[in-house]
Each structure stands twice: as C-alpha cells, then as structure tokens.
Amino acid sequence: CPPGTYNPELGEGAACLPCPAGYFCELGADAYAANSCPLGHYCPEGTEFSTQYPCPPGTYNNNTRNRVGDGHERRVKGRCH
C-alpha cells in the first residue's frame, strides 16, 4: 500500500484503507496502532509519516495521537515539544 494507507489483510487484491486520524502509515503498512502521532505534531486521516504535520510556529501539543491542527496551545518557555 502507498504511504498514508494500510492493509490488514494479506493477498493480492485486498484494498488499502486510509490511515485513521491520530496515526501515520508509512509505505507498505499492514497496521497503524503502533504508529501514534508524536508529540508536537498532528495527524489527519491519511498521514504518511510521523513528522508530516508539525504544530504551527509558536504552539505546541503535549498529546500523542492528535488528529487535527487546532488542539495546540501557545508555547510556554520550557514546555515546547
């Protein structure tokens, strides 16, 4: 499967599914659960790699599996992830 998708079934002709929001799926992924979106980033549906969507400048996100870019807080000195 291409990046941003995964296929939990083996065999030819099995459909690739979009990687769910909060996770990333690299080329050839057969699962997504171990690929939580990292701190300081967000992962909408179809995210291809862990650092594809960093928090906007001046913000941070201290949660994993963040799905959208609106959950960021203003950066506080010493707390930026």
Side-chain angles (χ1 to χ4, degrees), residues 5-76:
T5 65
Y6 73 103
N7 183 348
E9 299 178 22
L10 296 175
E12 290 184 41
C16 295
L17 304 171
C19 196
Y23 298 89
F24 64 94
C25 296
E26 296 177 335
L27 178 68
D30 60 2
Y32 64 86
N35 296 333
S36 295
C37 199
L39 297 173
H41 296 80
Y42 64 101
C43 296
E45 182 179 49
T47 298
E48 299 176 0
F49 55 94
S50 64
T51 57
Q52 186 172 0
Y53 299 102
C55 291
T59 66
Y60 76 100
N61 171 29
N62 63 354
N63 299 309
T64 60
R65 293 189 303 225
N66 199 29
R67 297 181 201 130
V68 294
D70 60 3
H72 304 285
E73 299 178 33
R74 287 186 40 218
R75 182 174 288 164
V76 178

